[in-house]
Amino acid sequence: MAKARITTEGLLKQINNMKLRFDKIKALEPETLLKKANEKTWSAAEVVEHMYMGYRLYKPKFEKALASIPEASEKWDHIEARGMANWAINGLAPQTGNKIKYKMKTSKVFQPVRLPMNADQETMKNVFEDFVAGLDFMADVTRDIRTREVKAHRFNSAIGPIVRFNVAEGLQFILNHNERHMIQIDRVLGIDTSV
C-alpha cells in the first residue's frame, strides 16, 4: 500500500473544497436535508452531524498535541503516514469514481442524535454551524503545524491504541472520513456537490 503523502497545502485545499461543497448542501430546503430513503438510512443532515461528531472526538487531541509539540527548525514540506496510521488513512480515502473501498458499521458513539425527522430549523442550523466551525478549527490547526515538529506527538485514534496519529495524520484521517460522507450525502440527495 502506497504511503499517504500529507502536506499542509493539501489539507487546506481539502478543507476549502469541503466548505464549498457544504455551501451547496446547506442552501437546500430543511425538508430535503432531513428526508430519509428508509428507516435504516441517514438523512443528509444526519450525515453532517455524524461528521461533526467524529471531528469533536479529535479536537481535544489536537489541542493537547499543539500544546506540547515544539517549533520546527524549518518548515516541513510533507510527511508520509506510518504503518497503521497509513492503513487507516488510505482505507478511508474515496477511490476513483467516488467508490467507497471499505464499508463499515458506525459505532453507537457516532450515531447522529440531534436531528430526528422532525428536527426544527434552529437545531439543524446549530449542527451545520458546528460542522463549519470544525472545518475552520482544522484549517487553523493545519496552518499552525506548518512550523511545528509534527511527528513529536502521537495520540490514539477513535478505534484505540492500535492506530496512533500525529496531528497531520489525524487531520488527513478525519478529512478522508468526511470525504466519504460527502459522497454519501450526494447519493442521498441525488446531486453532485464536487468542486
Side-chain angles (χ1 to χ4, degrees):
M1 177 180 300
K3 291 198 178 222
R5 188 176 192 273
I6 304 166
T7 66
T8 55
E9 291 77 16
L11 293 170
L12 288 171
K13 181 179 179 185
Q14 203 170 358
I15 291 167
N16 289 332
N17 285 345
M18 194 164 296
K19 286 177 84 170
L20 290 171
R21 291 179 76 176
F22 187 66
D23 284 344
K24 295 177 186 178
I25 293 164
K26 69 181 181 183
L28 298 171
E29 293 295 320
E31 298 78 29
T32 302
L33 295 169
L34 290 168
K35 186 178 175 187
K36 294 182 174 194
N38 60 58
E39 231 4 80
K40 292 186 177 189
T41 62
W42 289 346
S43 67
E46 287 175 310
V47 177
V48 173
E49 182 182 1
H50 167 76
M51 290 189 292
Y52 169 72
M53 293 170 79
Y55 146 79
R56 189 179 65 196
L57 178 79
Y58 284 91
K59 183 180 181 190
K61 295 173 186 278
F62 292 142
E63 290 171 331
K64 183 177 179 184
L66 290 175
S68 70
I69 57 177
E71 290 292 318
S73 55
E74 60 185 49
K75 185 177 163 182
W76 51 274
D77 175 59
H78 74 280
I79 66 161
E80 291 184 353
R82 311 153 293 99
M84 291 300 287
N86 186 62
W87 170 82
I89 290 166
N90 282 330
L92 283 184
Q95 306 301 302
T96 304
N98 286 338
K99 292 192 183 344
I100 305 295
K101 189 174 185 179
Y102 301 113
K103 300 199 180 192
M104 49 191 88
K105 190 150 175 76
T106 303
S107 162
K108 286 192 186 254
V109 176
F110 298 109
Q111 294 283 339
V113 293
R114 291 195 285 177
L115 292 170
M117 292 282 288
N118 60 351
D120 59 53
Q121 284 188 319
E122 188 64 25
T123 302
M124 191 160 60
K125 179 178 174 252
N126 291 338
V127 168
F128 286 13
E129 287 175 354
D130 288 346
F131 177 70
V132 172
L135 291 175
D136 290 340
F137 174 82
M138 289 190 288
D140 289 342
V141 170
T142 300
R143 286 186 283 273
D144 191 4
I145 64 172
R146 285 177 171 160
T147 58
R148 302 282 199 112
E149 292 289 350
V150 74
K151 294 180 185 177
H153 182 95
R154 293 189 184 135
F155 51 83
N156 292 347
S157 71
I159 59 173
I162 192 165
V163 179
R164 292 179 53 81
F165 296 127
N166 63 45
V167 177
E169 292 166 339
L171 288 166
Q172 189 64 70
F173 176 78
I174 292 170
L175 291 170
N176 284 1
H177 168 264
N178 288 356
E179 290 288 344
R180 288 168 65 99
H181 286 296
M182 294 300 283
I183 294 167
Q184 180 184 6
I185 289 171
D186 283 0
R187 289 177 182 163
V188 166
L189 296 173
I191 62 174
D192 181 8
T193 60
S194 57
V195 291

